[in-house]
Amino acid sequence: MRRVLTRLKNLFLPDKELSAQLEHLLGFKPKHLPYYQLALLHRSKNDELARNNERLEFLGDAYLGAIVAEYLFKKYPTQSEGYLTEMRSRIVRRETLNNVANRMGLQKLVQYNTQDRGIERSHIFGNALEALVGAVYLDQGYTRTRTFVIKQFLHAYVDVEMMASTDTNYKNQLLNWAQTNRQSLSFELMTDKREGARRMFTVGIFLNDALFCEGTAYSKKEAGQVAARKALELIAGNH
Amino acid sequence: MRRVLTRLKNLFLPDKELSAQLEHLLGFKPKHLPYYQLALLHRSKNDELARNNERLEFLGDAYLGAIVAEYLFKKYPTQSEGYLTEMRSRIVRRETLNNVANRMGLQKLVQYNTQDRGIERSHIFGNALEALVGAVYLDQGYTRTRTFVIKQFLHAYVDVEMMASTDTNYKNQLLNWAQTNRQSLSFELMTDKREGARRMFTVGIFLNDALFCEGTAYSKKEAGQVAARKALELIAGNH
């Protein structure tokens, strides 16, 4: 691991400069720079296994999710588990993370194949932000990671109140899109399954008579919303 | 919150006894018992909002996922993100958690409506185990939660090596099931979508010519496996 990391060095800014930029971004001075260099390395730059940020993204995604969960649990002491789950998914979804990463200026630090035009439109900067959380965890431990996520991510870039108050009727948004684009659209109940004391519903969305995507939840209405949100994400990803 | 928790008391074992049983289970003496009482309270026993373990389950699920992620990240330093993701999903999936919860004896501590016959077959004990992780986090903080998850959950009940070596060819398992039960089964590619530098594949499983479920991954093969695993879970859930 150490040897691999040392050989990565020449891809990056001089250590002092990178360290200064990271300190500005993180709110503290990084101890072990190679963690951060790996977090900023997209696979398009280096396709050998274990020399890109995907493992750190896995780790960072997990801690980001946990810390945001705790933050919401304490911020909304009377809200249901369903509400907390929905709020968290709004905060950690790819679009939000990519948007925050860009505002943080991560695109200037991430090493990727600039010849690949598709990349700029994908979510590699949001993924690098997750990898950065993983690097902070390895470098600084849990408590500092928690502070970083709350202060430098949530407080600095995410308008949690606004997200909480946004009425996201995905089904309506999707129906509007279909009308504008003259697509035929239908929602159909696929499965209705008892799970212990509850029922689970899966709703499928059919676009021009072909199944486009599905959503599952504890109510038919919520399953339709989950499916519609997925559909909107798929559609946005194709443009 | 405190008032609600105090009123829950009479549902449970006397404090001293519950505390002793929890100490045995957790490996330490709980400080604030009401967190644990809430973690052990299923909604079927009490359907008023915020008086069941679902919020704690949300919190505990998040920390369990993060701690298992870190454990695997360090245990398998050369494995890919895909491998770590698959291993984690095997460890934290409902079936595994429910199985561990039963072996821990959680069914004796969880308060639920014993009249509801469906419950014993559902995953409420696995869910209570997640809620218990949430209670430990609130009561003891991150470091002790991490120790609890690693020692009392992973080391004591989960055979990670065995899970890693199990060849889970879900597609074959599903084909065997279909043959035995004389069902017609087919795998079809539903979508193939470019996402930045990669392609994402969605494979659908058709059971007697109706779409049964779907799986999405970065390769067609893996998407088929994801879909087949889902199908097996759905089938198991119906029996």
Side-chain angles (χ1 to χ4, degrees):
Chain A
M1 177 93 163
R2 189 165 295 269
R3 197 148 41 96
V4 170
L5 292 173
T6 313
R7 274 192 273 141
L8 291 177
K9 267 192 167 180
N10 52 2
L11 285 173
F12 284 93
L13 293 172
D15 283 3
K16 260 199 178 165
E17 202 174 321
L18 180 63
S19 184
Q21 294 209 16
L22 282 170
E23 186 173 351
H24 180 69
L25 195 103
L26 301 167
F28 55 83
K29 200 177 169 64
K31 273 188 242 167
H32 190 59
L33 213 50
Y35 290 139
Y36 300 90
Q37 288 168 328
L38 194 60
L40 296 168
L41 188 64
H42 184 252
R43 78 201 304 251
S44 64
K45 193 76 181 183
N46 189 333
D47 53 13
E48 284 177 67
L49 190 72
R51 297 199 194 184
N52 63 53
N53 63 6
E54 291 178 2
R55 281 170 48 86
L56 281 172
E57 184 192 330
F58 166 78
L59 183 67
D61 167 79
Y63 277 93
L64 181 67
I67 293 162
V68 171
E70 186 213 353
Y71 178 84
L72 294 170
F73 182 93
K74 290 181 174 165
K75 186 175 173 75
Y76 299 107
T78 60
Q79 294 285 4
S80 72
E81 172 270 340
Y83 180 89
L84 300 176
T85 301
E86 169 60 24
M87 276 298 292
R88 183 172 64 161
S89 94
R90 289 184 196 184
I91 293 171
V92 301
R93 84 165 53 125
R94 290 171 163 210
E95 290 72 18
T96 312
L97 295 184
N98 220 43
N99 175 286
V100 170
N102 285 328
R103 284 153 66 209
M104 278 181 172
L106 274 190
Q107 70 278 32
K108 279 177 271 169
L109 296 177
V110 175
Q111 301 298 311
Y112 63 99
N113 178 359
T114 51
Q115 303 303 304
D116 183 339
R117 292 332 223 139
I119 284 184
E120 305 246 1
R121 282 177 282 118
S122 75
H123 299 104
I124 72 160
F125 307 116
N127 295 346
L129 174 54
E130 290 182 322
L132 203 58
V133 174
V136 173
Y137 182 85
L138 294 180
D139 189 46
Q140 302 273 335
Y142 173 72
T143 306
R144 204 144 215 179
T145 306
R146 185 169 174 276
T147 308
F148 167 66
V149 168
I150 293 175
K151 288 203 180 161
Q152 312 289 327
F153 171 70
L154 288 173
H155 289 175
Y157 291 101
V158 182
D159 192 340
V160 177
E161 300 296 346
M162 193 270 285
M163 280 193 172
S165 67
T166 307
D167 169 37
T168 47
N169 189 331
Y170 299 110
K171 208 165 158 175
N172 278 351
Q173 284 180 43
L174 185 64
L175 288 166
N176 283 339
W177 170 88
Q179 202 167 24
T180 311
N181 293 278
R182 297 177 185 211
Q183 307 282 319
S184 99
L185 190 77
S186 66
F187 288 75
E188 282 174 37
L189 184 63
M190 311 290 286
T191 59
D192 168 357
K193 167 167 115 69
R194 200 177 149 81
E195 190 178 85
R198 299 192 195 177
R199 286 163 70 191
M200 288 282 275
F201 299 86
T202 298
V203 165
I205 291 177
F206 288 76
L207 197 60
N208 305 321
D209 297 325
L211 183 80
F212 187 62
C213 67
E214 294 184 327
T216 298
Y218 287 119
S219 75
K220 233 186 289 186
K221 193 183 160 193
E222 185 56 28
Q225 288 291 331
V226 171
R229 198 179 77 201
K230 257 194 227 170
L232 289 166
E233 284 175 8
L234 288 167
I235 290 164
N238 284 333
H239 285 88
Chain B
M1 177 93 162
R2 189 165 296 269
R3 197 147 41 96
V4 170
L5 293 173
T6 313
R7 273 193 272 140
L8 291 177
K9 268 191 167 182
N10 52 3
L11 286 175
F12 285 93
L13 293 172
D15 283 4
K16 262 198 179 167
E17 201 175 320
L18 180 63
S19 185
Q21 294 209 16
L22 283 168
E23 186 173 350
H24 179 69
L25 195 103
L26 301 167
F28 55 83
K29 201 177 168 63
K31 272 188 243 167
H32 190 61
L33 212 52
Y35 289 139
Y36 300 90
Q37 288 168 328
L38 194 61
L40 296 169
L41 188 63
H42 184 252
R43 78 200 306 250
S44 64
K45 192 75 179 182
N46 189 334
D47 53 14
E48 284 176 66
L49 190 72
R51 297 197 193 184
N52 63 52
N53 63 5
E54 292 178 2
R55 281 171 47 87
L56 280 173
E57 183 193 329
F58 166 79
L59 183 68
D61 167 81
Y63 277 94
L64 181 68
I67 293 162
V68 171
E70 186 213 352
Y71 178 84
L72 294 170
F73 181 93
K74 290 181 174 164
K75 185 175 173 77
Y76 299 107
T78 60
Q79 293 285 3
S80 72
E81 174 269 341
Y83 180 90
L84 301 177
T85 301
E86 169 60 24
M87 277 297 292
R88 183 171 65 160
S89 94
R90 289 184 196 184
I91 293 171
V92 302
R93 86 165 50 126
R94 290 169 165 216
E95 289 73 17
T96 312
L97 295 184
N98 220 42
N99 176 284
V100 170
N102 285 328
R103 283 154 66 211
M104 278 179 170
L106 274 190
Q107 70 278 31
K108 279 177 272 167
L109 296 178
V110 175
Q111 300 299 310
Y112 63 99
N113 178 359
T114 50
Q115 302 305 303
D116 184 339
R117 293 331 225 139
I119 283 184
E120 305 246 1
R121 281 177 281 121
S122 76
H123 299 104
I124 73 160
F125 306 116
N127 295 346
L129 174 55
E130 290 182 322
L132 202 59
V133 174
V136 173
Y137 182 85
L138 294 180
D139 189 46
Q140 303 274 335
Y142 173 73
T143 306
R144 204 144 214 180
T145 306
R146 184 169 173 276
T147 308
F148 167 66
V149 167
I150 293 176
K151 288 204 180 159
Q152 312 289 327
F153 170 70
L154 288 173
H155 290 174
Y157 291 102
V158 182
D159 192 339
V160 177
E161 301 295 346
M162 193 270 285
M163 279 192 173
S165 67
T166 306
D167 170 37
T168 47
N169 190 331
Y170 299 110
K171 209 165 158 172
N172 279 351
Q173 285 180 41
L174 185 63
L175 289 166
N176 283 338
W177 171 86
Q179 204 167 23
T180 311
N181 293 278
R182 298 178 184 207
Q183 307 283 320
S184 101
L185 189 76
S186 67
F187 288 75
E188 282 174 37
L189 184 63
M190 310 291 287
T191 60
D192 168 358
K193 168 167 115 70
R194 200 176 150 81
E195 190 179 86
R198 299 192 194 175
R199 285 163 71 192
M200 289 281 275
F201 299 86
T202 298
V203 166
I205 291 178
F206 288 77
L207 197 60
N208 305 321
D209 296 326
L211 184 79
F212 187 63
C213 67
E214 293 183 328
T216 299
Y218 287 118
S219 75
K220 232 185 291 186
K221 191 181 161 194
E222 184 57 27
Q225 287 291 329
V226 171
R229 198 178 78 200
K230 256 193 227 170
L232 289 166
E233 283 174 8
L234 287 168
I235 291 164
N238 284 334
H239 285 88

